[in-house]
Amino acid sequence: MSLPVLREELDLLPGPCLPDGQPSWTLHDPVRQLFYRLDWPTFEILQRWWRRDGQAIAAEVSAQTTLDIQAKDVERVGEFLIAHQLTRPEPGLARQWAERWARQRGSPLHWLLHHYLFFRIPLLRPDAWLGRWLPVARLFGRPAFRLLTLAALLFGATQVAQQWNAFQSSLVDAFSWEGLGAYGAALFLTKLAHELGHAFTAKHYGCRVPTMGLAFLVMWPVAYTDTNEAWKLTDARQRLRVACAGIVTELHIAAWATAAWALLPDGAWRSAAFVLATTSWLTTLAVNMSPFMRFDGYFILSDALDMPNLHERSFALARWRLRELLFDLAEPAPELLPPARTRALVAFAWATWIYRALLFLGIALFVYQVAFKVLGVVLFAVEIGWFLLAPLLQEWRAWHQRWAVIRARRRTRFSAALLGAALLLLALPWPTRSTATAMLRPADIWPVYAPGPARLDALPFREGQAVPAGAELLRLHAPELAQRRVALLARLQGLKWQAATSGFDADARNRLLVNEDAAAVARTELASIDDELANYRPTAPFAGLLRDVDPDLRAGQWLSRRERIGLLVRDDGRWIVETWVDEDMVRHVRPGDAALFVAPGLPLRAVRLKVVAIDRDTSRTLPRAEMATQAGGHLLVREKGGLLVPEHGAYHVTLAVQEPLPRTLGAQSWRGQLSINGPWEPPLARYGRQALAVLVREVSF
């Protein structure tokens, strides 16, 4: 077999020692700025590649080294070189190369989707400029500057501790152009310094930095610096410093910004210093330090473990482990590593898959929301299909290729049985359970309060005394109303006297009709005052017990408007629980459903209940503030005009207590957690109905 010819511009560089102790080399493709790590057998084969005969190369390597190389090993190296376009096209094979390039490039739609999801725009070729300014940049890496930075951090931290309230209240003045300009300039300079940190560190170690620019990840701009030549470095610590340089630079900026915040006067620039000292680098750490995407954290972890292509290698191990768990194929692992490292890489791969699934789902929802309806649906489908479904389809194809072996394995039948059992459990009816915050209170409560400012003249009943129906609960004196009543009575008396003497005077007879109208108005006002005064002498609407009466309340004391005096509780031992539930929960609640109520401090472990009433219409306002999320409840509300308005439809549900409660509870209300046992329903039906409802709602125009 004649082997292909290597491209002349390829460069072979010494590499670091591999974990098993063997030397390695780095193959550099300068055209595409790509690097490939080669082990010792591959290096020995490439040294003799000029022979272009697999048998001869294998025999010579086996004879001159301690390696045992076969011709098939040489063929595999050749396949690797051809697959990565590291060989020269053979004459007459232009069509095959064109077809291979077309397959790699994909269809125009594939190209468009790939470049919509991620593309780069090189803006600068900074290598020469970096070389000129490198001596200045090295000043920021000296121990003296690091000590100064540490001193600035300590000074700033001390000042922040002393002015913590001011530091907490420091925000960017988003309503002024000056504040927005300062914030934008500070953020731009920070990101520029981040990339320059990578670039200068790579240049310091002799690497070339060909480009700097912007990369767009699902149309979101992020800066990038091409430091691929860091793979030329044989010292893993040097590559690690290049990867960490951007984050270290931002941490230095944060330290100096903290000191600047302590020294600057109030204003836009102090707000900008606050942003640099807190939110800017915290956001950078949260994004760049994540090893689950190919940002700084990934390269830091890759260099720390000295494992190039960490994602691809861990993914291959995870897929292999998954197939072994499901089918027991007894296939060799993609690479031989210590068991502890293999388990760690598999766990890392699973964590990365979960992280990316959540992230890409969030991106899909984001692009769906920001675009108009049709484009949003298309982009949502693209995101889900490209990032989530495509990897699953690729793994399914790998299973299909091994189907003959998979079908014959005993583990396959066991896995299929487990899958069938899981689907059966999802298809079988399960009891539904709905939970919400609720209030336990007596069934009939009538509050006794002062309708307005008044003096307490009499309080016939005290705390805990029985009150018969119709009995006067208290007597209040409202001086303003009493004076108005006396004035109206005097006015009516005067109008009556004028009507009685109208026969003796012609002018009085002419005013008779006017006086009669005035008397009618006065009588109406008097009736209104009498009705209002009746509220100051409330009577019991039903027989019960008077509860929650202030023991220090005495006749002669003055009460303010709406001041509560006590509660009249019907003495029949009936209690109810009430709550408000949203539209999703109300579908699973029916009258007659059993429920349990648990409250902290309640002298019962749980109270058994039964649903007795569900309002057919939603409540416009929430009368119980204890149900709102602001008070620790479960309903999301907003305040409007002093009222609590539910963000979503809220239905009032009433439940009756099915067991006698101790009288020691009095008239107190208890807030706790309510659990309602709803009808039996298959989980698949519930989730499918919810998904269908969302789909119908979103695609409707």
Side-chain angles (χ1 to χ4, degrees):
M1 172 185 172
S2 178
L3 299 176
V5 180
L6 291 175
R7 289 164 38 198
E8 290 84 354
E9 68 273 15
L10 298 180
D11 194 9
L12 195 60
L13 307 169
C17 290
L18 298 180
D20 58 2
Q22 66 169 308
S24 71
W25 286 262
T26 302
L27 183 64
H28 179 208
D29 181 357
V31 175
R32 295 178 297 164
Q33 194 63 8
L34 296 177
F35 296 84
Y36 303 91
R37 180 72 57 80
L38 306 179
D39 57 8
W40 180 28
T42 306
F43 170 74
E44 294 292 345
I45 292 173
L46 289 181
Q47 272 194 317
R48 298 162 178 82
W49 198 260
W50 56 272
R51 292 186 177 277
R52 302 191 61 192
D53 185 280
Q55 292 286 355
I57 293 175
E60 184 172 328
V61 172
S62 299
Q64 296 179 0
T65 68
T66 58
L67 297 171
D68 182 14
I69 300 298
Q70 305 296 325
K72 61 181 181 181
D73 299 323
V74 181
E75 293 176 5
R76 281 197 293 266
V77 173
E79 293 171 357
F80 164 79
L81 296 173
I82 294 173
H84 293 83
Q85 304 175 22
L86 299 174
T87 59
R88 288 192 313 187
E90 296 291 336
L93 300 179
R95 180 184 296 275
Q96 297 179 11
W97 278 84
E99 291 176 353
R100 182 184 295 116
W101 169 250
R103 286 195 301 269
Q104 293 179 353
R105 188 172 184 271
S107 64
L109 179 61
H110 180 275
W111 181 91
L112 177 62
L113 293 178
H114 178 74
H115 286 78
Y116 148 71
L117 296 171
F118 180 80
F119 62 92
R120 287 181 173 182
I121 301 179
L123 299 177
L124 301 172
R125 298 185 179 275
D127 193 67
W129 181 86
L130 292 172
R132 290 193 299 269
W133 286 93
L134 183 59
V136 177
R138 282 176 173 151
L139 297 176
F140 296 99
R142 291 184 175 179
F145 180 75
R146 295 176 184 172
L147 290 176
L148 285 176
T149 302
L150 180 59
L153 177 61
L154 293 176
F155 169 75
T158 303
Q159 294 299 312
V160 167
Q162 295 177 356
Q163 307 177 51
W164 179 246
N165 292 333
F167 187 77
Q168 278 186 312
S169 61
S170 295
L171 295 174
V172 176
D173 187 5
F175 301 101
S176 69
W177 291 108
E178 182 182 2
L180 288 175
Y183 171 74
L187 195 59
F188 171 77
L189 292 176
T190 301
K191 300 308 175 186
L192 178 60
H194 179 105
E195 298 305 321
L196 288 176
H198 289 300
F200 276 118
T201 306
K203 193 68 178 175
H204 171 73
Y205 290 116
C207 301
R208 188 174 68 92
V209 182
T211 59
M212 295 176 66
L214 287 176
F216 288 83
L217 179 63
V218 196
M219 304 307 295
W220 184 263
V222 292
Y224 83 93
T225 301
D226 187 351
T227 58
N228 282 339
E229 286 211 3
W231 287 108
K232 290 182 177 180
L233 303 175
T234 59
D235 189 347
R237 291 175 298 179
Q238 293 178 352
R239 295 196 305 273
L240 186 60
R241 291 183 186 125
V242 174
C244 294
I247 293 176
V248 171
T249 300
E250 290 210 38
L251 293 177
H252 279 68
I253 293 175
W256 286 100
T258 305
W261 178 89
L263 298 174
L264 289 172
D266 289 335
W269 288 108
R270 196 184 198 202
S271 297
F274 171 80
V275 171
L276 293 180
T278 55
T279 57
S280 175
W281 68 270
L282 284 174
T283 305
T284 299
L285 288 179
V287 175
N288 287 341
M289 283 299 292
S290 171
F292 304 124
M293 300 295 292
R294 296 183 71 89
F295 297 136
D296 290 351
Y298 167 74
F299 295 105
I300 291 172
L301 181 61
S302 179
D303 291 332
L305 298 176
D306 195 18
M307 292 191 68
N309 300 321
L310 178 60
H311 277 165
E312 290 77 5
R313 296 166 69 178
S314 63
F315 293 169
L317 283 171
R319 289 192 293 267
W320 165 77
R321 176 60 68 188
L322 177 64
R323 295 167 193 160
E324 293 301 313
L325 289 174
L326 293 178
F327 312 122
D328 191 22
L329 300 178
E331 292 182 345
E335 58 180 311
L336 295 178
L337 295 172
R341 174 161 289 198
T342 299
R343 290 192 295 269
L345 290 178
V346 170
F348 172 73
W350 277 100
T352 303
W353 288 342
I354 295 173
Y355 174 86
R356 289 188 175 186
L358 296 176
L359 175 65
F360 295 146
L361 181 61
I363 293 175
L365 293 174
F366 172 76
V367 298
Y368 171 76
Q369 294 294 334
V370 299
F372 58 89
K373 183 70 73 172
V374 176
L375 181 60
V377 172
V378 173
L379 295 180
F380 180 86
V382 168
E383 297 293 323
I384 297 299
W386 184 272
F387 288 118
L388 300 181
L389 298 183
L392 295 177
L393 180 60
Q394 182 180 2
E395 182 61 18
W396 175 258
R397 289 172 178 169
W399 291 6
H400 183 71
Q401 294 173 358
R402 299 168 173 82
W403 181 243
V405 180
I406 290 175
R407 187 171 52 185
R409 305 299 292 181
R410 180 181 298 178
R411 181 73 62 82
T412 302
R413 293 190 289 273
F414 178 73
S415 300
L418 285 180
L419 177 61
L423 293 177
L424 182 62
L425 288 176
L426 292 176
L428 290 176
W430 284 69
T432 58
R433 179 169 296 177
S434 305
T435 59
T437 308
M439 295 296 298
L440 172 68
R441 65 172 181 82
D444 291 316
I445 296 180
W446 196 71
V448 183
Y449 58 88
R455 184 188 68 218
L456 179 62
D457 284 347
L459 186 61
F461 302 96
R462 308 303 298 180
E463 170 67 26
Q465 288 185 338
V467 179
E472 186 179 272
L473 294 170
L474 72 158
R475 191 180 307 117
L476 300 173
H477 174 66
E480 182 181 355
L481 290 177
Q483 291 176 4
R484 287 174 55 191
R485 189 175 190 280
V486 170
L488 282 173
L489 288 174
R491 184 180 177 188
L492 281 172
Q493 188 65 28
L495 292 173
K496 289 180 180 179
W497 181 82
Q498 292 179 10
T501 59
S502 60
F504 303 100
D505 188 356
D507 292 338
R509 285 194 298 272
N510 293 334
R511 293 195 302 271
L512 179 61
L513 294 178
V514 176
N515 291 337
E516 289 180 352
D517 291 340
V521 171
R523 284 192 293 270
T524 302
E525 291 182 6
L526 182 62
S528 175
I529 290 178
D530 288 339
D531 291 339
E532 191 170 354
L533 284 172
N535 294 329
Y536 288 80
R537 302 180 66 176
T539 58
F542 51 80
L545 300 177
L546 192 62
R547 297 288 190 181
D548 291 349
V549 179
D550 186 355
D552 297 328
L553 195 60
R554 296 289 184 273
Q557 292 184 359
W558 286 89
L559 304 175
S560 60
R561 183 178 181 274
R562 306 296 297 180
E563 182 175 347
R564 201 180 78 173
I565 299 170
L567 294 174
L568 181 64
V569 181
R570 190 186 294 272
D571 189 20
D572 57 2
R574 293 191 303 114
W575 289 71
I576 64 170
V577 170
E578 61 179 356
T579 186
W580 282 259
V581 300
D582 57 21
E583 297 175 353
D584 294 333
M585 183 175 172
V586 77
R587 287 200 297 264
H588 306 297
V589 180
R590 299 174 183 174
D593 287 346
L596 287 177
F597 176 83
V598 179
L602 192 67
L604 297 173
R605 294 182 59 185
V607 179
R608 293 185 294 108
L609 311 168
K610 183 176 71 174
V611 178
V612 295
I614 305 172
D615 284 1
R616 299 181 59 183
D617 298 323
T618 59
S619 301
R620 296 182 179 273
T621 60
L622 182 64
R624 285 280 191 176
E626 298 91 341
M627 305 290 107
T629 54
Q630 294 89 328
H634 68 284
L635 283 180
L636 185 63
V637 300
R638 67 179 184 276
E639 188 173 354
K640 184 177 181 181
L643 301 175
L644 297 178
V645 181
E647 290 287 352
H648 307 287
Y651 295 82
H652 183 228
V653 179
T654 305
L655 303 96
V657 176
Q658 299 297 294
E659 55 188 336
L661 298 182
R663 291 182 173 272
T664 55
L665 295 182
Q668 181 179 353
S669 297
W670 302 79
R671 187 177 76 168
Q673 290 298 314
L674 175 68
S675 178
I676 304 176
N677 297 323
W680 289 59
E681 185 180 18
L684 281 178
R686 183 166 66 251
Y687 299 143
R689 184 174 60 249
Q690 181 67 20
L692 184 62
V694 173
L695 182 63
V696 171
R697 184 181 70 241
E698 294 299 332
V699 300
S700 60
F701 298 97

